[in-house]
Structures are given as structure tokens and as C-alpha cells.
């Protein structure tokens, strides 16, 4: 039930509709494909190269998404399919071998090459798994070649990272003992990763590995005794792949905001048999700092109504954080996919009274948005300026994937990302 | 397959989008997988457009594959028509949809919508953005202006001002917004009325009025030449082909408009002047003489830039090229006139190699050449698309006409002044470190120092333009030191010439003497 009473919406879901009271929507989708995740993954893994096998559109997407970064130190490229390639499959494999050869000659420092599948490569059924095996054998000892899909057919935005991590999960060495260890799953900014590492050290939790790693050869062993702590809500496939290899997931909310981070650490501490008093002791100072920073931003956000259009799967935990810790009122929270295992607890924490939507039918959703007229709309860059021009205030969503937002020290920054458009609107006299 | 780090042009459907987004009352249904909506943000972010581009995507996913996708096309076309009620509908496919062969164009044509449906062929694996834009515009003109040609007729009351269409400006085109304003003002001053500007700002009804004009001005041949040639053949509308980029070209443009319109514009052409002419003649600009310029961009802007550089600024053109293969002939012809080897390529690594070889003092290019120049430590100005957000400025910034010439003067000279400042800084720095035995590739690290550390490390990772190239030719320490006394922006050229001179004469070791021998040799 929407809090925007009297908006006269026919599509507002009744409680219990769909799974977990979530409306299923189909139609035109305004989301990125999984290839976009290369833009941050290539910065995280410094010895990896991402070669998309696709069309000019894929190359165009990457350079549009990467903006000016493409020339800084590009560790991604596209093998653009031409008409000749579509004619004969055998030629296609030869061509790929030639291009990979050229590429590795140019970039001898690359240790890990990801062959990233795209819509065109999947439609013509180019077997990139086999190509990856063949190329790994051909460049034996030098470079590992792995395939995953970042196509729009299979993945939306952050799911590209999930597919990449799943391809890594298969390659983690098997654990030789059953001693406890921790894998933190999902890309975090380096600064956030370092903060968490210090906290785990102080709590006596370890050994801790972060996946994806900073260097692709720093792959932690996995097996019985390995605990998984999810730092991102979009790593479902990778989680299941690691569970199949004997790892065990620690149930926790995502480390967004003070409470989210605290519960995340508590869950880890409990799994490692660390006293909760010890957690309180270790986190007391950062929690106090974070609450203070948050309080300042919270004033600007309290009572404001917010809608999320689907983008990254961060929508549920972000809405939970903004509602619980900043006093915002979520109106509609839409997500590209709902994964009960990964999002169920966040969905429950959000409570009732929020319209939840899985998938998208763009025009219908925009009609609801215009009827709701929330104070803030979280959406992609294709919609942000047009909605601003309609008088709807927006927060562009990609920034939430590109900024350090997790953990105590970033709780204030995270709230500030949402407060900034409101402050700006109040400041401007143009 | 082609290894691509950067593409100068997007796929053809992005060209069609640019035409649709330029117009009012046109909607484009694009059969494309989930994710291809990224193209919207070119318009909403780079051009800061305040509305969504008029494009509805089918955004199919894996679960739709099979016979579902054709049905999805029909549903999407029906829904898009219902919601947007366009006056004309473009229907096409992106690269992945092209593989599915759903024939969205004919599917839509068979739906008997009460508006013209124009089916676009895609050719996504052989064609690019420029072709896509040109083809979409041509099909629209042919579909809408063609049938109206006879009805519209050309009966005009005697003594009425000649009327022209301005064809070619588009959304995401380089400075199109202000070029249109500048050229419209220029024509009005000549007594020529602008009939239709298209596709930028035009409606389908406007396209139907194209035949009412006396002639067409092909302002951006990359987009409008095909349409203009068709209009010339079928409606006998002559076209003006001179593009008024630069002062000389603007004067020629005025003359050609006069010839085609049948009015006397000789005096107007002779009077046409811009501040840039005096600026360029003033003694301040003396040091610009013979500056080595490397030029790359779309064919129209590259050819025009070469003329401006040579005739109006007194530069030496040391490289000229384009990524638009369809218009390569003009670039080849111009390159021949300036005595340089034309560069027709869309491979940015090839462009980078050629820039490095030519050792220019100024690079005039696209957004990509800006990065190449940064990496090589060379001054640069953007003259053509693809361009980034900063080249869609808030201020009035035409490139065409008289004000365009003024804008160009400031834009091109600005980085050179900076280059000179940088050079002075470099000289003083070098002086103080002379005893400290500076590294031989000091120039490669010093030049990009102002840029981010990232660029610096990238530049250091690969040998830059100035690194020694001559196989087996050694430099004595004295010669290296002497070379470093040469201002850095001509140092690369000096190094290359000296090495070539030495290699040609079998000199194994370059001394200070060799440098000056080579200098004397090449200055002849």
C-alpha cells in the first residue's frame, strides 16, 4: 500500500501479490547490461584484462560508460564482430585466437584475461567457454583465460559482476583443512575494504579474503570451514557457486548505514564465536562517529518521500537504510531482480506499506512516479535529466555503485549522496 | 574481428536515434536487447537534453528468444504508437536484433498504422553511426518529401526572397545548435529565407515542405549528402556544397549561395570579415607561422580545418585524416594539396602512431585525439565529433560563419599559448637540473606532468613520440644535452630528423656536430 494516498493507482500491488508481496512487471526496461560492470571490475583487479566479444554497440557502451577513464589505463577492449565472422564459426575462433595473441603481446603484464560474452556472441552461439580453455592451454603458464557473460540477454548491470565472480569461484583452490576462514563477497572500494580488514583483525576474525581480489592471482582457498559474508546484494550466482564448493553463508543485512554495518559485523562475529561485547567494544568509536555524521544528513532527509527505479539490486538495502536510519519514506522500491535468499531479510526489514516491484515496464512505472511525485527519485542517467525537467528531483543511481558507501565511516557520505540534490535544489536561484 | 579500444562512431542505430531525437513528432521503435538503452544517456547527459529521446526499445532478454521476439516487436510498436502518437514512425533493429531476423520494419508496416512507417535497414556489422544517420534522414526525406513534391510545387510570387533548406544538423552533432543560428543569420543578411531546417528541430510536416524551397544547403554532408543528392535528382533542387567553416570558406559559401539563388552576393562575400582575420595578421600571431598541425576528424571538419590552418592561421599541415570512409575522397584530395599522406582509418592506435610519427606542435581532432595528445604531451583542440560534454557548451559557440571563425581562432590558439608557457617552465626546470644529469626521456615525463598521475604513468609505460627510434644510431651525452636545449615542442622533430640524417649517411654516433649538420640540411 502506497503512502501516497489518493494517487488512484490501479497497479499498486495488494499485499501478498507475487512473491513476498512484490509486484512483477514486464515490458520496456531502462537498465544497463552486465558489460557495464567491467568499468569498475577492471579497476579492482589490476592484472586482469576484459575482452568483450561483441559488436560495435558493446564497444560504444563501454566507452560511453567509462567516459574519460578509457585512456587512463584501459584494461578492457572489444573484439568487434564483422560480417565475415557471422558467416563462419570456425573463422570466428581463429579470429579470436589472433586477437587474443595481439592483445597479450601488447600487454604482457596481464595475468588474467576475461572473455566476456555479449548479446551478439550469445545469439550466434559462439562457444567462449571452449575458447577460454583453448586459449589458456595455448598461453600456458602465462595467462589464465576465463569466460563469463555480461550480455543484456542474461544480465542487468551489477549482475555482470556476479557472473565474473562466479567464473572466479570455480577457480578458487580447494581448502586443505577445515579451519574457519572468511570470504567477503562483492566489490568494495579499496578504502572500505581496508577499514573492514582492520575491524576483522581487531575482532580476531580471520583469515579474511575479499572477492574480487585486487590481483586476480590472490584467490583464497574455499571449502568446508569457509564462511561467506556478502558485501553486495547482487552476488547470488557466485554465492551459490561457493556454497556448492563447501562454503557456508552468514546471514546478514548488507553493510549500509550504521545499523546495517553493525549487524553485518555482528553476524560475522557470531559465526566466528566472537563475543558480542567484543564487537561493541571494537565498534564503539566508529559507531559514535558514524551516528554523528548521519544525524547531520538525516535532518535533511527526514520525512522525505523517495522512489527507486530498478537498476543495481542495491534498492532494497538502500531503502531500508534510508527509512530506518534517515527517516525517509520509501514510496516505490523497484529492483531488476528479487532473490529471496539474498534479499528476503532486507525486504522484511523494510516492512509493509512500501510498493515493491520486480522488473520494469518503463512507461507504466513513470506514470506511477508522476502520480506519486516523491521528493527524490533514484534512477539512471537516461532518465535523470528528463525527470528533473519535469520538476522531479533525482539522485542518479550509478554513483551508488561507483562510490565508497559501505561501512561506518561512509554512512554519513551515503546519506549525503541523497541529501545533496535536495540541498542543491534549495540553494539554487536560477 | 577487430580489436577495438575506442570507436570513433557508434553503431548505425545510434545514427538513426540522432535523427529521430533531432526531430519533433517522430518516434523510433528499436528492436534491441536489454541494456541498449544506454544510448539514451548520450542525449540526456552529453547533450543535456531535458527530455527522453523519442525511442522505444523492445529490450528483449534470453527468455524472449525464439518466436516470441517478433510478437514483442508488434506489441512494442502498438504501445509506442498509442502512447506517443507520432506523425511518423521509424522502425529498426540494433546489432543483436539483426541476427534474429524478425524484420521489424515490415512487421510494423503491416500493422496498418495511420502514419507513415519507415523501415530502416541496419547493416550493423558493416556500417556505422554516420551511415545510420544519413540513411535514416534520407529515408525520412524520401518517404515524406517525395510524395509531396508535386503538390507543393514551386509556384512563388515574383520578387519573393529565395528560399533555402538547411539540411544536416543533428542532435549530438558538433556545434550544430549554434551553427544553424549563425548560418541562418548569414543567409538572412543575404536576403535568403530559410525554409526548413532539418532534421534538427523539424517535424514530419516540415519535411513535407522541403520541396517548397529553391535549393538546399548541405551543411553537414555526413548526414545530408545522400538526401540532398536525391532531392537534386528527383526534385531538381540544386544544392550548395560549400560548408562555411572558416573565413575563406564562408566567403566561398556566400558566393555559391549567390550563384545557386540567382542573386548578387559578390559584394557581401568581399565584405565578409571576422575579427579572426585581423587577429591572425597581428604581430602577436607571428609565432604561429609554420606551426605543425595534425588534423583528424569527420571528413567535413577535417578538410575545413586544414584550409583554416593553412590559409588563415599560417600553420603547416603535417597530417590529415578522417574516420568517415564514405567521405574519404575529399580528404584524399585535400591531403594531396597539402603534400601529406591521407589517413583514412577508424583505428585509434593507427591514429596515435601517425600523430607520434608526424611530431606535430598542435593536434586538431576529436575527443580521442585529445587523449592521444595528452599522452604525447602535445597541445590539442577539438574540431569534430565524437566530442564529450564540454564540447556541448552553454555559451554561443558556432564553428561556422563569421562568428565561427572567431571561435575557431580562440579555440585553436589557446592550447598553443599554454604550450609555450609549458615550454618556458620546462626550460627553467631543465636549467636548474642540468647538473643533476636529467634522464634522457625527461621530455616524456615532463610534458604530461600537468595531467593526472594516471596519464603520466600511462605515458611512461609506452615509448612516446620523442623516444629514440633510429636503430643502431647512438647519441653521445653531449648531443643528448644539446638536444634538450631545443624547445620541447620541436624537439621530437629535431630528434627524428637528426636520426634520419645520420642513418642516411651511415653515421653511427650522433654528436653535437651531427645535430647542426642535420639542422642545416633540413632547413634548406
Amino acid at each position: 500500500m502506497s503512502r501516497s494516498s489518493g494517487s488512484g493507482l490501479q497497479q499498486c500491488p495488494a499485499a501478498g501479490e507475487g512473491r513476498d508481496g512484490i509486484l512483477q512487471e514486464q515490458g520496456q526496461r531502462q537498465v544497463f547490461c552486465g558489460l557495464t560492470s567491467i568499468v569498475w571490475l577492471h579497476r579492482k583487479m589490476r592484472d586482469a584484462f576484459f575482452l568483450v566479444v561483441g559488436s560495435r554497440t558493446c564497444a560504444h557502451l563501454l566507452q560511453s560508460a567509462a567516459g574519460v577513464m578509457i585512456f587512463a589505463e584501459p584494461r578492457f577492449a572489444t573484439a568487434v564482430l564483422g560480417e565475415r565472422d557471422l558467416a563462419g564459426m570456425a573463422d570466428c575462433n581463429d579470429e579470436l585466437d589472433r586477437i587474443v595473441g595481439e592483445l597479450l603481446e601488447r600487454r604482457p603484464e596481464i595475468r588474467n584475461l576475461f572473455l566476456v560474452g555479449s548479446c551478439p556472441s550469445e545469439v550466434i552461439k559462439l562457444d567462449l567457454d571452449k575458447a577460454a580453455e583453448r586459449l589458456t592451454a595455448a598461453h600456458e603458464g602465462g595467462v589464465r583465460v576465463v569466460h563469463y557473460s555480461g550480455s543484456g540477454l542474461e544480465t542487468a548491470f551489477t549482475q555482470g559482476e556476479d557472473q565474473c565472480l562466479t567464473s572466479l569461484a570455480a577457480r578458487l583452490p580447494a581448502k586443505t583443512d577445515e579451519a574457519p576462514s572468511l570470504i567477503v563477497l562483492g566489490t568494495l572500494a579499496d578504502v572500505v575494504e581496508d577499514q573492514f580488514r582492520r575491524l576483522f583483525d581487531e575482532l580476531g576474525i580471520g583469515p579474511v579474503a575479499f572477492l574480487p581480489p585486487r590481483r586476480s592471482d590472490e584467490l583464497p582457498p574455499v571449502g568446508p570451514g569457509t564462511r561467506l559474508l556478502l558485501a553486495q546484494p547482487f552476488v547470488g550466482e557466485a554465492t551459490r557457486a561457493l556454497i556448492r564448493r563447501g562454503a557456508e553463508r552468514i546471514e546478514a543485512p548488507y553493510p549500509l548505514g550504521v545499523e546495517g554495518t553493525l549487524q553485518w559485523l555482528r553476524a560475522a562475529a557470531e559465526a566466528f564465536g566472537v563475543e558480542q561485547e567484543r564487537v561493541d567494544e571494537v565498534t564503539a568509536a566508529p559507531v559514535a562517529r558514524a551516528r554523528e555524521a548521519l544525524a547531520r544528513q538525516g535532518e535533511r532527509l527526514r520525512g522525505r518521500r523517495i522512489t527507486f527505479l530498478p537498476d543495481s539490486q542495491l534498492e532494497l538495502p538502500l531503502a531500508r537504510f534510508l527509512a530506518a536510519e534517515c527517516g525517509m519514506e520509501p514510496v516505490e522500491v523497484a529492483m531488476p531482480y528479487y532473490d529471496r535468499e539474498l534479499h528476503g531479510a532486507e525486504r522484511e526489514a523494510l516492512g509493509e506499506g512500501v510498493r515493491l516491484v520486480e522488473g520494469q515496464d518503463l512507461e507504466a512505472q513513470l506514470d506511477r512516479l508522476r502520480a506519486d511525485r516523491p521528493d527524490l527519485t533514484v534512477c539512471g542517467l537516461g532518465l535523470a535529466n528528463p525527470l528533473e525537467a519535469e520538476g522531479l528531483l533525482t539522485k542518479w543511481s550509478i554513483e551508488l555503485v561507483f562510490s565508497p558507501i559501505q561501512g561506518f565511516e561512509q554512512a554519513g557520505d551515503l546519506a549525503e549522496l541523497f541529501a545533496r540534490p535536495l540541498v542543491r535544489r534549495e540553494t539554487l536561484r536560477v | 574481428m577487430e580489436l577495438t579500444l575506442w570507436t570513433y562512431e557508434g553503431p548505425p542505430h545510434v545514427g538513426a536515434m540522432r535523427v529521430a531525437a533531432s526531430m519533433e513528432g517522430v518516434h523510433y521503435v528499436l528492436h534491441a536487447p536489454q541494456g541498449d538503452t544506454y544510448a539514451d544517456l548520450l542525449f540526456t547527459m552529453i547533450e543535456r537534453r531535458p527530455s527522453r529521446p523519442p525511442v522505444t526499445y523492445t529490450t528483449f532478454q534470453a527468455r524472449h528468444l525464439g518466436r516470441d521476439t517478433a510478437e514483442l516487436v508488434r506489441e512494442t510498436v502498438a504501445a509506442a504508437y498509442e502512447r506517443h502518437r507520432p506523425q511518423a514512425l521509424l522502425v529498426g533493429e540494433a546489432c543483436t536484433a539483426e541476427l534474429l531476423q524478425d524484420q521489424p520494419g515490415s512487421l510494423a508496416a503491416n500493422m496498418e498504422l495511420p502514419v507513415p512507417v519507415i523501415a530502416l535497414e541496419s547493416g550493423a556489422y558493416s556500417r556505422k553511426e554516420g551511415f545510420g544517420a544519413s540513411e535514416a534522414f534520407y529515408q525520412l526525406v524520401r518517404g515524406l518529401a517525395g510524395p509531396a513534391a508535386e503538390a507543393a510545387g514551386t509556384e512563388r510570387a515574383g520578387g519573393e526572397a529565395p528560399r533555402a533548406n538547411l539540411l544536416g544538423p543533428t542532435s549530438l552533432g558538433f556545434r550544430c545548435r549554434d551553427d544553424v543560428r549563425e548560418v541562418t543569420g548569414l543567409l538572412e543578411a543575404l536576403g535568403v529565407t530559410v525554409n526548413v531546417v532539418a532534421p534538427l528541430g523539424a517535424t514530419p510536416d516540415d519535411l513535407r515542405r522541403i520541396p517548397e524551397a529553391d535549393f538546399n544547403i548541405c551543411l553537414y554532408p555526413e548526414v545530408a549528402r545522400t538526401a540532398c543528392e536525391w532531392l537534386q535528382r528527383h526534385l531538381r533542387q540544386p544544392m550548395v556544397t560549400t560548408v562555411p567553416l572558416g573565413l575563406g570558406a564562408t566567403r566561398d559559401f556566400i558566393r555559391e549561395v549567390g550563384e545557386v539563388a540567382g542573386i548578387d552576393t559578390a559584394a557581401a562575400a568581399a565584405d565578409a570579415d571576422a575579427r579572426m582575420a585581423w587577429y591572425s595578421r597581428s604581430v602577436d600571431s607571428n609565432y604561429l607561422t609554420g606551426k605543425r598541425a595534425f588534423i583528424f576528424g569527420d571528413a567535413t571538419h577535417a578538410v575545413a580545418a586544414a584550409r583554416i590552418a593553412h590559409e588563415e592561421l599560417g600553420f603547416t599541415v603535417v597530417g590529415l585524416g578522417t574516420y568517415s570512409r564514405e567521405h574519404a575522397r575529399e580528404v584524399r584530395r585535400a591531403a594531396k594539396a597539402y603534400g601529406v599522406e591521407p589517413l583514412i582509418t577508424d583505428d585509434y592506435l593507427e591514429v596515435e602512431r601517425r600523430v607520434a610519427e608526424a611530431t606535430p606542435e598542435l593536434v586538431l581532432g576529436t575527443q580521442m585525439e585529445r587523449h592521444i595528445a595528452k599522452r604525447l604531451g602535445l597541445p590539442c583542440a577539438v574540431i569534430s565529433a565524437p566530442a564529450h560534454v564540454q564540447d556541448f557548451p552553454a555559451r554561443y559557440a558556432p564553428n561556422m560563419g563569421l562568428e565561427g571563425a572567431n571561435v575557431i581562432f580562440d579555440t585553436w590558439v589557446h592550447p598553443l599559448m599554454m604550450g609555450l608557457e609549458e615550454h618556458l617552465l620546462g626550460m627553467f626546470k631543465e636549467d636548474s637540473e642540468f647538473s643533476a644529469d636529467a634522464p634522457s626521456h625527461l621530455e616524456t615525463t615532463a610534458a604530461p606532468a600537468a595531467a593526472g598521475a594516471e596519464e603520466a604513468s600511462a605515458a611512461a609505460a609506452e615509448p612516446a613520440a620523442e623516444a629514440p627510434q633510429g636503430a643502431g644510431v647512438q647519441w653521445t651525452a653531449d648531443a643528448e644535452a644539446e638536444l634538450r636545449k631545443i624547445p620541447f615542442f620541436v624537439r621530437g622533430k629535431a630528434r627524428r630528423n637528426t636520426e634520419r640524417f645520420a642513418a642516411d649517411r651511415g653515421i653511427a654516433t650522433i654528436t653535437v656536430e651531427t645535430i647542426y649538420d642535420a639542422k642545416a640540411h633540413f632547413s634548406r
Side-chain angles (χ1 to χ4, degrees), chain B residues 410-431:
Chain B
D410 289 345
T411 311
W412 296 11
V413 173
H414 179 75
L416 283 177
M417 300 292 274
M418 308 247 294
L420 197 62
E421 282 164 16
E422 244 181 48
H423 150 61
L424 289 172
L425 284 171
M427 277 175 67
F428 291 128
K429 194 171 148 202
E430 215 167 86
D431 255 12

Side-chain angles (χ1 to χ4, degrees), chain B residues 79-391:
Chain B
Y81 177 74
E82 264 320 296
R83 177 169 283 267
H84 301 286
R85 296 282 171 165
Q87 298 165 40
L89 197 66
L90 289 173
V91 181
E93 50 201 351
C95 50
T96 305
E98 187 179 332
L99 300 170
L100 303 181
Q101 302 191 333
D102 285 325
Q103 313 291 341
S106 25
L107 285 181
N110 291 334
M111 288 171 66
E112 299 185 343
L113 295 173
V115 295
V117 173
I118 290 149
L120 297 177
E121 290 297 318
S122 127
Y125 296 92
S126 53
R127 305 293 201 164
K128 300 190 202 93
E129 182 179 333
F131 176 84
S134 170
E135 185 66 9
F137 185 54
Y138 163 64
Q139 295 294 350
L140 273 166
V141 167
R142 204 183 140 153
L144 295 166
E150 238 171 283
T154 49
E155 354 72 68
R156 290 193 296 116
E160 206 178 306
R163 279 185 288 183
N165 298 315
L166 281 188
L167 302 184
T170 54
S171 199
L172 284 175
F174 190 72
R175 304 292 167 88
C176 286
R177 179 196 67 195
D178 298 338
D179 283 351
V180 166
R181 185 173 137 193
E182 187 66 20
V183 173
T184 302
L186 198 62
L187 291 170
E188 277 167 4
L190 296 174
V192 174
T193 306
V194 173
N195 180 54
V196 168
V197 178
L200 195 64
T203 63
D205 280 341
D206 289 334
L207 295 193
R208 291 189 180 94
R209 292 195 300 106
I210 282 181
E212 292 170 19
D214 299 295
F215 61 99
N216 292 312
I217 292 173
C218 186
L219 216 48
Y220 299 93
E222 274 82 355
V223 175
R225 193 166 73 187
T226 308
C228 285
E229 283 172 351
W230 186 85
L231 289 166
Q232 189 166 36
R233 272 200 310 276
H234 293 266
L235 271 66
R236 288 184 297 283
Q237 274 180 322
M239 79 171 133
V240 170
T241 55
T242 304
V243 179
L245 277 165
L247 184 53
T250 299
R251 288 171 180 153
D252 291 350
F253 173 81
I254 293 171
R255 276 186 216 104
E256 194 186 347
V257 166
E259 281 163 25
V260 173
I263 52 176
D264 185 8
T265 56
D271 287 350
D273 205 4
R275 269 188 299 277
M276 80 84 65
W278 164 242
Y279 272 44
S280 189
R281 287 197 304 268
S282 79
V283 291
D284 248 26
S285 301
N286 249 324
Y287 83 105
L288 299 179
T289 315
K291 283 272 181 209
R292 304 162 51 78
F294 189 100
I295 300 166
F296 194 83
D298 69 30
T300 302
H301 285 88
V303 170
R307 178 174 176 186
I308 298 166
H310 178 73
E311 292 180 5
E312 299 173 22
L313 292 167
F315 294 163
T316 302
V317 177
V318 295
L320 180 60
T322 185
Y323 56 81
S324 21
R325 282 180 197 280
E326 289 94 342
H327 300 258
R329 203 191 309 155
E330 291 88 332
V331 176
R332 288 208 177 87
R333 198 184 304 131
K336 202 173 168 197
Y338 300 111
V340 296
E341 186 69 25
L343 174 61
I344 315 297
T345 184
D346 56 1
D347 178 356
Y348 113 90
L349 294 172
E350 173 73 12
V351 179
E352 189 182 63
R353 270 193 294 279
R354 290 284 292 269
V355 173
E357 273 168 28
T359 57
E361 293 159 76
L362 175 65
V363 179
L364 300 169
T366 72
Q367 176 67 17
M368 290 171 64
E369 281 66 49
R370 173 136 66 191
H371 290 280
I372 290 173
K374 201 182 208 178
R375 190 166 182 161
L376 299 176
L378 297 169
C380 178
V382 173
I383 60 158
S384 156
H388 218 307
V389 61
Q390 60 269 51
D391 280 301

Side-chain angles (χ1 to χ4, degrees), chain A residues 259 294 302 318-328 330 349-350:
Chain A
E259 302 310 322
L294 203 51
R302 197 161 311 282
L318 283 172
R320 177 264 300 162
F321 157 71
L322 292 169
E325 300 188 41
C326 303
M328 290 190 90
L350 193 54

Side-chain angles (χ1 to χ4, degrees), chain B residues 9-35:
Chain B
E9 295 181 83
H13 73 260
V14 169
M17 275 185 76
R18 281 174 48 197
V19 170
S22 300
M23 294 183 64
E24 306 283 336
V26 171
H27 200 85
Y28 184 21
V29 173
L30 183 63
H31 195 21
Q34 163 176 275

